[in-house]
Amino acid sequence: MRTLSRYVVRAHVGPFIFAFSAVTGLLFLNAVAQRLEDLVGRGLELSVMFEFMMLSLPHIVALTFPMSILVAVLYAFSDMTGSNEVMALAAGGVHPLRMLTPLLGIGLVLTGTMLYFNDRVLPESNHRLSSLLSDVGSTNPTFDLREEVINEVPTDDDTRYFLRARTIDPTTNRLTDVEIYDLSRVGETRTIIAARGEMALTPNGEDLYLTLEDGVAFSTNEQRPGGFQRLYFEQQVIPFRGVRAQIERRVGGGARGAREMTIPMLRERVASAIQNTHSSADEMREHSEYALEEALKPPENPDAHRFAEDEVGSFSDRLVLEAASNAQATHARWDLQRRDVYRHQVEIYKKHAIAAACLIFILLGLPLAIRYPQGGVGMVIATSVVIFFLYYVGLIVGERFANRGQVHPWLAMWTPNIILLVPALYMLTRVGHNVGTNRGSRWDEIRYRFGAFLGRVLGHGSNQGPASAGEPVADGGVG
């Protein structure tokens, strides 16, 4: 049996590595392409770009790792069943579930590995990536200029320039309808208007040169009231000194969001938020009791009966309104604290649920692959896409409901796992009765059953199906 276990494990290694590399590579390129426009044009060093790409990788791995496990299980067992290896083992007295035993052990190891990854590696990478993007966003923006807006151009010298352009092409660094306001000299203002312009950095990336074409420059001076100087030009170069993007990296990284915390951090935050909700609830109760006591308190003045009824009512109404306002503000604060509890609990249960999905996908992949072995790569891709789509949509929807407090966080995060686990366990109990071969359990059987269903619905179907191995055919034929 050790030989069988080693054979089953080796059959999954190749498909897993291929699926993990291919899917991770595609999602990685997509993620980098989406964020690349936020970094290009800032004169950043290659080390910063490389750090950004590496920190973007763990989040993708957290998604593709369980996905690759399902693809490997579907492909390996589908190929083994199509080659009649599963049928041969069953004929030799080896139950198909016996092949699942080594995978369950590996699945437990992968589940623990994934849980450690989600708890330790992923939060730290998310935090460092968030800090890096924040630091990059606070640097001097070399080409981070907005159209139809007066942008201040930060420099290291004493010059003060403001730039406005109708269009700015971030790819070619071309500008149209450019207006520049030079306020560098005290008491003197210079305005430059050009039809078009182009920006370019020096080789060392420290200075920016703006080349203007077909423009005019107006200059005014406080020492000559009412006068101005006008100068037409075909081309003019304006230097901006010291605009190189220097990143000031923060020490300590700042505060962490929910997705940047480990499980102990999340539990500590949940305990603190629960304590805050109790304090807010006690404060609301104190406001209500105070209003009630003041409203029912007898007047201190024994001659209070001489006051008009409307005056007493007005005083009581003011107390009630003041207490209601305080209670409403406290309730709003309590609701925010309650949602803070749910949001952090969701992250705790999500880390465990995604890790457990590795084991559930193994349980689900075996019966599906054995039942329909002849689907090939098309069946593997189609089945994987459908399962992952349903699983991750379930996680996203459940997270939204849990953050609002409409569903308990544990139920919201574990419902997709439960939905997949129940049919997986049912199909595993039937896997010994439904072992397909390369003559049966193919896509044509699925098409036949779908056609038979439509026939029954329309009232003119046939109950005869495709012949399978060892099954008699109508009119005396044999399969």
Side-chain angles (χ1 to χ4, degrees):
M1 290 300 177
R2 292 184 178 179
T3 303
L4 176 61
S5 299
R6 289 195 297 267
Y7 176 76
V8 172
V9 172
R10 286 198 303 266
H12 288 77
V13 172
F16 173 78
I17 295 177
F18 176 79
F20 181 73
S21 303
V23 179
T24 303
L26 290 175
L27 295 182
F28 176 72
L29 292 176
N30 180 62
V32 171
Q34 290 180 350
R35 292 287 186 87
L36 196 60
E37 61 180 354
D38 297 333
L39 305 177
V40 173
R42 293 182 178 269
L44 302 177
E45 298 178 357
L46 292 178
S47 60
V48 177
M49 302 289 290
F50 181 76
E51 182 181 359
F52 163 75
M53 291 188 291
M54 291 299 99
L55 293 177
S56 301
L57 193 58
H59 174 71
I60 300 173
V61 171
L63 300 176
T64 59
F65 193 84
M67 184 185 305
S68 303
I69 293 177
L70 178 59
V71 172
V73 173
L74 286 174
Y75 181 84
F77 281 116
S78 176
D79 183 67
M80 294 171 63
T81 308
S83 301
N84 289 332
E85 296 178 9
V86 177
M87 179 65 70
L89 290 173
V94 179
H95 196 277
L97 292 181
R98 173 62 185 82
M99 295 184 297
L100 192 63
T101 304
L103 295 182
L104 290 178
I106 295 178
L108 291 175
V109 175
L110 295 179
T111 298
T113 303
M114 196 65 194
L115 180 59
Y116 178 84
F117 182 87
N118 291 339
D119 181 38
R120 300 296 178 178
V121 179
L122 184 59
E124 186 64 27
S125 66
N126 288 340
H127 179 61
R128 292 181 59 183
L129 178 60
S130 177
S131 300
L132 176 62
L133 293 177
S134 178
D135 294 338
V136 170
S138 62
T139 59
N140 292 339
T142 302
F143 296 131
D144 192 13
L145 303 175
R146 293 180 295 171
E147 299 176 347
E148 296 291 348
V149 175
I150 298 178
N151 304 271
E152 182 177 3
V153 182
T155 59
D156 291 342
D157 53 15
D158 296 332
T159 58
R160 292 189 62 195
Y161 287 100
F162 295 86
L163 183 147
R164 177 183 178 274
R166 183 174 63 86
T167 62
I168 302 176
D169 190 345
T171 304
T172 61
N173 298 323
R174 298 284 300 178
L175 300 85
T176 60
D177 294 344
V178 185
E179 299 177 8
I180 295 180
Y181 305 94
D182 183 5
L183 306 179
S184 303
R185 301 178 182 177
V186 179
E188 181 178 350
T189 301
R190 186 171 62 142
T191 303
I192 304 174
I193 302 176
R196 52 193 170 273
E198 183 176 0
M199 296 182 295
L201 280 171
T202 56
N204 59 8
E206 294 182 354
D207 302 328
L208 174 68
Y209 284 87
L210 178 60
T211 303
L212 302 177
E213 299 176 357
D214 296 338
V216 58
F218 300 91
S219 300
T220 60
N221 197 312
E222 294 181 354
Q223 297 179 358
R224 294 180 299 169
F228 70 94
Q229 183 179 3
R230 181 172 57 186
L231 176 65
Y232 292 94
F233 61 87
E234 295 183 357
Q235 187 179 78
Q236 183 178 6
V237 179
I238 301 178
F240 301 103
R241 307 293 183 182
V243 297
R244 179 178 180 179
Q246 298 289 347
I247 299 180
E248 298 180 359
R249 304 304 298 270
R250 294 172 294 177
V251 179
R256 291 176 178 258
R259 297 186 178 182
E260 303 169 13
M261 296 182 181
T262 62
I263 293 179
M265 293 179 183
L266 290 169
R267 288 175 176 170
E268 183 179 355
R269 183 61 179 271
V270 168
S272 176
I274 291 177
Q275 185 177 0
N276 292 335
T277 58
H278 293 165
S279 300
S280 299
D282 294 338
E283 186 177 349
M284 282 190 295
R285 183 169 58 253
E286 291 176 0
H287 285 308
S288 301
E289 291 176 353
Y290 172 78
L292 184 61
E293 290 175 0
E294 291 295 329
L296 299 179
K297 182 185 297 185
E300 297 180 358
N301 189 351
D303 298 330
H305 63 277
R306 293 182 299 176
F307 288 97
E309 293 292 337
D310 56 347
E311 295 180 0
V312 177
S314 176
F315 177 73
S316 301
D317 291 343
R318 288 196 300 270
L319 285 176
V320 172
L321 291 175
E322 181 180 358
S325 177
N326 294 333
Q328 186 177 8
T330 306
H331 181 271
R333 185 170 64 254
W334 172 84
D335 185 64
L336 292 177
Q337 295 165 350
R338 179 178 62 94
R339 296 194 179 198
D340 190 49
V341 172
Y342 293 148
R343 184 171 64 255
H344 290 84
Q345 285 181 336
V346 163
E347 292 300 322
I348 295 176
Y349 296 126
K350 185 195 297 184
K351 295 179 187 295
H352 291 86
I354 294 179
C358 298
L359 186 60
I360 294 177
F361 287 157
I362 292 177
L363 298 175
L364 183 63
L366 172 65
L368 285 177
I370 291 180
R371 186 66 184 89
Y372 301 103
Q374 292 300 311
V377 178
M379 185 275 293
V380 173
I381 295 177
T383 305
S384 302
V385 169
V386 171
I387 292 176
F388 289 130
F389 176 79
L390 296 177
Y391 181 78
Y392 286 113
V393 166
L395 283 180
I396 294 173
V397 174
E399 182 176 359
R400 291 185 178 179
F401 280 107
N403 288 337
R404 299 172 185 171
Q406 299 173 342
V407 180
H408 192 275
W410 183 91
L411 182 62
M413 293 295 96
W414 280 90
T415 295
N417 286 1
I418 297 174
I419 292 177
L420 295 179
L421 181 61
V422 171
L425 294 178
Y426 172 76
M427 288 187 293
L428 285 175
T429 60
R430 305 283 300 173
V431 72
H433 307 282
N434 297 320
V435 178
T437 67
N438 59 2
R439 295 188 59 192
S441 302
R442 296 174 295 181
W443 283 108
D444 55 355
E445 180 181 351
I446 299 177
R447 292 194 298 268
Y448 160 74
R449 293 188 178 184
F450 182 73
F453 172 76
L454 292 180
R456 287 194 299 270
V457 172
L458 299 176
H460 53 79
S462 172
N463 293 328
Q464 296 180 359
S468 59
E471 186 178 16
V473 184
D475 298 331
V478 293

